Amino acid sequence: EVQLLESGGDLVQPGGSLRLSCTTSGFTFGSCAMSWVRQAPGKALEWVSGISGRGDATYYTHSVKGRFTISSDNSESALYLQMNSLRAEDTAVYYCAKAIQYSKSGIDFWGQGTLVTVSS
Amino acid sequence: QSVLTQPPSASGTPGQRVTISCSGSSSNIGSNTVNWYQQLPGTAPKLLIYTNSQRPSGVPDRFSGSKSGTSASLAISGLQSEDESDYYCAAWDDSLNGLVFGTGTKVTVL
């Protein structure tokens, strides 16, 4: 059974930093691309960032480029998102998500999400 | 900043058929496969349809997907009360080099 468990969400001030983690099990971690997707309160889903199975290719939505960094540790079957220079508009539930195979194939499994609140 | 356009709402009575559209462009739906997700209130999304029209195991055959050109559709036949949920389409966008989601559609069972 595929399981994805996010952690690290918190209340942080504008301009602050936060690191999200996602521990996984139930599949061969390095064989699938992974993504972070967020959902602001009452809003639609928004893809944030993705990484290839081997970790050699990363992708970001325009609004987080230069501020967020996605990484993975295949030995730990874990996914991370380092978030710097946080803004109020980054407030959302952040989901860790597993790709069907490649990034282009889309997502098949989701974690339960972790809440990030950016506010003074 | 959703790139794929869906109607904000759809509704039907139990047993009816409801269809949700998803409109995109040549750089996303026109070039790549479409997935559909169901999101019940307060929960994580769940994969409903992948590769335009395939159902994962466990998804009832009441749910079906199709794609034509730069648009896709999700149909729910034999609507049931438990189908009341938000639905999202998604596809890779070659111009943005990222995954794009639809604006979301709230389905209400009358």
Side-chain angles (χ1 to χ4, degrees):
Chain A
E1 179 191 5
V2 173
Q3 292 192 334
L4 309 171
L5 182 62
E6 305 93 338
S7 61
D10 204 347
L11 170 64
V12 60
Q13 292 190 338
S17 298
L18 212 53
R19 188 193 196 211
L20 304 184
S21 300
C22 173
T23 57
T24 74
S25 62
F27 66 101
T28 304
F29 185 77
S31 68
C32 300
M34 298 291 294
S35 283
W36 288 97
V37 178
R38 67 185 178 185
Q39 187 171 35
K43 301 296 185 182
L45 299 169
E46 181 190 20
W47 176 84
V48 174
S49 181
I51 188 167
S52 64
R54 291 187 299 183
D56 56 354
T58 57
Y59 312 91
Y60 299 92
T61 191
H62 177 73
S63 63
V64 309
K65 278 181 184 174
R67 301 190 298 124
F68 290 11
T69 302
I70 190 171
S71 62
S72 61
D73 184 336
N74 283 6
S75 66
E76 295 290 331
S77 298
L79 179 72
Y80 306 98
L81 185 67
Q82 177 65 43
M83 304 186 294
N84 299 330
S85 303
L86 282 162
R87 307 167 180 167
E89 53 265 36
D90 295 319
T91 294
V93 173
Y94 283 72
Y95 294 102
C96 168
K98 170 190 166 296
I100 295 171
Q101 187 175 8
Y102 306 111
S103 292
K104 280 194 172 188
S105 54
I107 293 164
D108 58 357
F109 286 97
W110 304 68
Q112 288 307 299
T114 187
L115 177 62
V116 172
T117 303
V118 184
S119 174
S120 55
Chain B
Q1 310 90 310
S2 299
V3 173
L4 306 180
T5 302
Q6 300 177 231
S9 63
S11 63
T13 57
Q16 278 190 329
R17 176 184 171 93
V18 168
T19 302
I20 301 168
S21 62
C22 174
S23 178
S25 68
S26 58
S27 63
N28 42 65
I29 294 178
S31 309
N32 297 292
T33 58
V34 178
N35 299 330
W36 288 90
Y37 301 92
Q38 178 190 55
Q39 187 178 32
L40 297 169
T43 69
K46 168 192 165 186
L47 180 64
L48 210 55
I49 296 288
Y50 68 98
T51 316
N52 306 325
S53 59
Q54 305 301 304
R55 279 187 311 277
S57 60
V59 173
D61 59 6
R62 304 185 290 104
F63 295 92
S64 62
S66 64
K67 177 185 131 173
S68 179
T70 59
S71 294
S73 293
L74 173 72
I76 310 173
S77 59
L79 194 64
Q80 297 183 5
S81 57
E82 58 259 39
D83 299 332
E84 196 160 275
S85 183
D86 292 328
Y87 294 86
Y88 294 91
C89 57
W92 187 264
D93 191 296
D94 291 333
S95 294
L96 298 174
N97 213 22
L99 195 61
V100 292
F101 284 92
T103 48
T105 299
K106 183 175 182 62
V107 169
T108 301
V109 181
L110 301 171

